[in-house]
Amino acid sequence: MAKKAVLVGINYPGTDYSLKGCVNDVMAMSDILTKYYGFPTGNKRMLTDASATTANILERLNWLVTGAQPGDVLFFHYSGHGSQIVDKDYDTSQEPDKLDEIIYSYRDWE
């Protein structure tokens, strides 16, 4: 059984929307995954601030699922801004509020 994690924390420094604890969240979560859940250090990928671009997040998510087998543990953690957008493919069984949830990468704020 493999254990893999992708951890993303974005404080958006230098923007009007800056946060203070998102990178700290990622560091704490990384420690928790190793100490309490046995995730090997080499099986965790972290992206923080300027490295947490849309392209890099997608690349890390691809790494996360590549080669996954039944019984593997795959973990994604995101700490940063999020929002909602109108669900263009409206389906009440999936989105009764007609909104999709989104996360903002670092690049989205530039």
Side-chain angles (χ1 to χ4, degrees):
M1 171 182 68
K3 293 182 176 185
K4 295 169 68 176
V6 172
L7 311 169
V8 180
I10 312 171
N11 287 333
Y12 313 95
T15 72
D16 291 339
Y17 310 100
S18 66
L19 299 171
K20 298 189 189 255
C22 299
V23 173
N24 290 342
D25 291 346
V26 166
M27 300 304 180
M29 185 58 68
S30 178
D31 291 343
I32 289 166
L33 288 173
T34 299
K35 185 175 182 179
Y36 296 105
Y37 297 100
F39 277 70
T41 301
N43 281 7
K44 295 182 290 183
R45 301 289 188 269
M46 290 191 281
L47 295 169
T48 59
D49 289 333
S51 71
T53 63
T54 299
N56 285 347
I57 293 170
L58 290 172
E59 185 275 326
R60 295 305 194 281
L61 288 172
N62 187 53
W63 166 85
L64 184 66
V65 300
T66 297
Q69 300 292 318
D72 288 353
V73 178
L74 307 178
F75 184 84
F76 176 73
H77 171 89
Y78 173 81
S79 185
H81 283 297
S83 189
Q84 293 178 309
I85 58 172
V86 174
D87 181 358
K88 294 178 184 175
D89 301 321
Y90 175 62
D91 179 353
T92 55
S93 67
Q94 294 178 354
E95 291 293 349
D97 64 359
K98 302 179 187 176
L99 299 171
D100 284 328
E101 289 68 34
I102 62 171
I103 63 174
Y104 283 104
S105 69
Y106 186 82
R107 196 100 169 133
D108 294 333
W109 290 90
E110 292 184 331

